[in-house]
């Protein structure tokens, strides 16, 4: 998550519910359960102990550790047979240093890149469901490595497992009706730069064709608010632009996962302003419906102590499966979800 200059007290808890059923056919429901089961705590941990290791040097934008991180992501997609939307062997959407340095608040940075992978829809390939997470972190400061296991190694490895589950479905002839874009964005810690480059400069697919963005940023830990009941995740923005997306999200969770969906930070008056602080917002400002999945901050947030040994992998598995089920439902609905609201500028 991007830093801000202040942190204020919490605001009132808001809980939303829905008894609506999802619109997938029974066959799709059965398949969703089957492929969600391939997402495991063991595999998530295997990825994260590599991705958030000291070898990746905190994945600072444009630095050698970040280049190792994007190579790891590309190698995974190649090994799984998940193609690039850019064609051929090119999985990197280049984000030039010149553009970064015009948009960054402070510092000077080198060329960087978003990592993109793609599963083509079987019936409505022109309609795109985006799943996003940021690949970067804080790098090395004062000789200490900021590993960023939760922020956002957790979201990154969740995406890998979700992509693998969708690819398994494709191999079995049960692939999604709509296309899925797996978008790993760079420069989030510098001001949501990678996602801004994608939406404002070079959208690989027209934003008008983008059904929604499911953004995963910090989903591997427990905050102080939920110590006694850790089976939760904060949802932010699900109802901001699409009532239908919010209802689908609620129904999917009720049917498959039964996680406590906490809307505390969805309040428009939330002083933390989390809605504006991760990569989904660059889609939301363009009126693309979004959901932001988040576990809240903790004592290791933006510190060298955010390491992979502190991740709760069972919770990470559950939250990752929730995102998968939501993506599966949105990708397989008969009709595209409707954006019935307009984004209010910050």
């Amino acid at each position: 998550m991007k830093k801000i200059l202040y942190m204020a007290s919490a605001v009132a808890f808001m809980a939303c519910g829905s008894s609506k059923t999802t619109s997938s056919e029974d066959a799709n429901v059965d398949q969703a359960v089957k492929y969600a089961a391939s997402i495991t705590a063991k595999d998530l941990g295997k990825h994260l102990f590599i991705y958030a290791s000291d070898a990746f040097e905190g994945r600072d934008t444009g630095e050698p550790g970040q280049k190792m991180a994007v190579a790891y992501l590309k190698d995974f997609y190649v090994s799984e047979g998940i193609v690039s939307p850019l064609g051929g062997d090119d999985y990197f959407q280049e984000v030039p240093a010149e553009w970064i340095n015009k948009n960054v608040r402070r510092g000077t940075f080198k060329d960087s890149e978003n990592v993109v992978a793609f599963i083509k829809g079987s019936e409505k390939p022109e309609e795109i469901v985006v799943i996003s997470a940021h690949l970067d972190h804080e790098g090395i400061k004062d000789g200490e490595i900021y590993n960023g296991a939760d922020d956002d190694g957790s979201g990154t490895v969740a995406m890998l497992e979700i992509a693998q589950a969708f690819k398994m479905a494709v191999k079995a002839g049960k692939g999604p009706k709509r296309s899925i874009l797996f978008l790993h964005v760079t420069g989030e810690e510098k001001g949501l730069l990678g996602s801004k480059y994608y939406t404002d400069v070079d959208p690989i697919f027209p934003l008008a064709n983008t059904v929604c963005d499911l953004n995963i940023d910090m989903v591997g830990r427990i905050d102080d608010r939920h110590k006694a009941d850790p089976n939760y995740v904060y949802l932010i923005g699900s109802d901001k632009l699409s009532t239908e997306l919010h209802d689908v999200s609620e129904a999917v969770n009720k049917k498959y996962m039964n996680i406590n969906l906490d809307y505390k930070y969805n309040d428009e008056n939330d002083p933390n302003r989390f809605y504006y602080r991760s990569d989904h917002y660059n889609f939301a400002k363009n009126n693309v419906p979004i959901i932001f999945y988040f576990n809240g901050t903790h004592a290791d947030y933006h510190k060298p102590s955010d390491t992979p040994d502190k991740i709760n992998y069972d919770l990470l598995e559950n939250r990752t499966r929730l995102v998968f089920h939501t993506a599966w439902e949105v990708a397989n609905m008969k009709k595209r979800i409707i954006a019935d609201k307009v984004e209010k500028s910050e």
Side-chain angles (χ1 to χ4, degrees), residues 107-209:
T108 302
F109 300 93
K110 303 171 186 175
D111 292 337
S112 191
E113 49 278 304
N114 296 329
V115 179
V116 289
F118 181 67
I119 289 177
K120 186 176 181 179
S122 61
E123 295 183 17
K124 302 175 184 291
E126 74 285 356
E127 296 183 10
I128 312 299
V129 176
V130 176
I131 305 175
S132 62
H134 70 90
L135 60 87
D136 63 306
H137 193 56
E138 294 280 305
I140 301 174
K141 298 179 179 180
D142 299 323
E144 291 191 280
I145 297 173
Y146 286 62
N147 300 92
D150 193 27
D151 186 13
D152 184 28
S154 61
T156 299
V157 301
M159 277 182 61
L160 298 183
E161 284 290 286
I162 292 168
Q164 185 181 59
F166 270 110
K167 184 61 177 181
M168 289 174 65
V170 171
K171 289 178 178 177
K174 302 293 184 180
K177 295 176 182 178
R178 292 176 179 83
S179 297
I180 313 289
L181 176 66
F182 302 97
L183 177 63
H184 300 265
V185 291
T186 190
E188 190 269 0
E189 302 289 0
K190 314 304 180 190
L192 314 184
L193 296 183
S195 56
K196 182 178 181 180
Y197 188 84
Y198 180 89
T199 60
D200 295 12
V201 180
D202 186 22
I204 296 172
F205 299 101
L207 296 182
N209 291 1

Side-chain angles (χ1 to χ4, degrees), residues 49-261:
F49 270 90
I50 298 171
Y51 194 78
S53 68
D54 286 353
F56 284 55
E57 299 178 342
R59 309 186 302 278
D60 196 6
T61 302
E63 295 301 316
Q66 185 250 290
K67 303 301 182 182
M68 292 178 66
V70 298
Y72 183 86
L73 299 177
K74 174 184 175 178
D75 288 347
F76 172 82
Y77 287 116
V78 170
S79 69
E80 292 293 323
I82 301 172
V83 301
S84 166
L86 302 175
D89 193 46
D90 184 9
Y91 286 75
F92 299 155
Q93 180 186 46
E94 303 297 336
V95 184
E98 181 181 6
W99 184 88
I100 292 174
N101 293 317
K102 284 181 180 179
N103 287 273
V104 76
R105 296 189 185 92
R106 62 182 67 87
T108 302
F109 300 93
K110 303 171 186 175
D111 292 337
S112 191
E113 49 278 304
N114 296 329
V115 179
V116 289
F118 181 67
I119 289 177
K120 186 176 181 179
S122 61
E123 295 183 17
K124 302 175 184 291
E126 74 285 356
E127 296 183 10
I128 312 299
V129 176
V130 176
I131 305 175
S132 62
H134 70 90
L135 60 87
D136 63 306
H137 193 56
E138 294 280 305
I140 301 174
K141 298 179 179 180
D142 299 323
E144 291 191 280
I145 297 173
Y146 286 62
N147 300 92
D150 193 27
D151 186 13
D152 184 28
S154 61
T156 299
V157 301
M159 277 182 61
L160 298 183
E161 284 290 286
I162 292 168
Q164 185 181 59
F166 270 110
K167 184 61 177 181
M168 289 174 65
V170 171
K171 289 178 178 177
K174 302 293 184 180
K177 295 176 182 178
R178 292 176 179 83
S179 297
I180 313 289
L181 176 66
F182 302 97
L183 177 63
H184 300 265
V185 291
T186 190
E188 190 269 0
E189 302 289 0
K190 314 304 180 190
L192 314 184
L193 296 183
S195 56
K196 182 178 181 180
Y197 188 84
Y198 180 89
T199 60
D200 295 12
V201 180
D202 186 22
I204 296 172
F205 299 101
L207 296 182
N209 291 1
T210 303
V211 176
C212 68
D213 172 42
L214 305 180
N215 184 49
I216 319 169
D217 192 353
M218 298 175 58
V219 287
R221 296 285 295 272
I222 304 167
D223 69 357
D224 289 340
R225 174 181 169 87
H226 295 91
K227 292 290 186 184
D229 182 19
N231 186 35
Y232 78 99
V233 67
Y234 292 106
L235 291 197
I236 303 173
S238 62
D239 63 347
K240 300 290 188 188
L241 293 167
S242 174
T243 303
E244 189 174 11
L245 178 60
H246 175 78
D247 290 345
V248 166
S249 169
E250 282 276 334
V252 164
N253 178 61
K254 183 178 180 181
K255 187 164 192 175
Y256 296 111
M257 300 307 304
N258 199 31
I259 295 171
N260 172 20
L261 303 183

Side-chain angles (χ1 to χ4, degrees), residues 324-342:
F324 170 79
H325 277 297
T326 306
W328 181 276
E329 179 65 23
V330 172
N332 285 297
M333 292 172 64
K334 290 182 178 179
K335 294 183 179 180
R336 173 178 171 171
I337 61 167
I338 298 171
D340 58 342
K341 304 177 185 180
V342 176

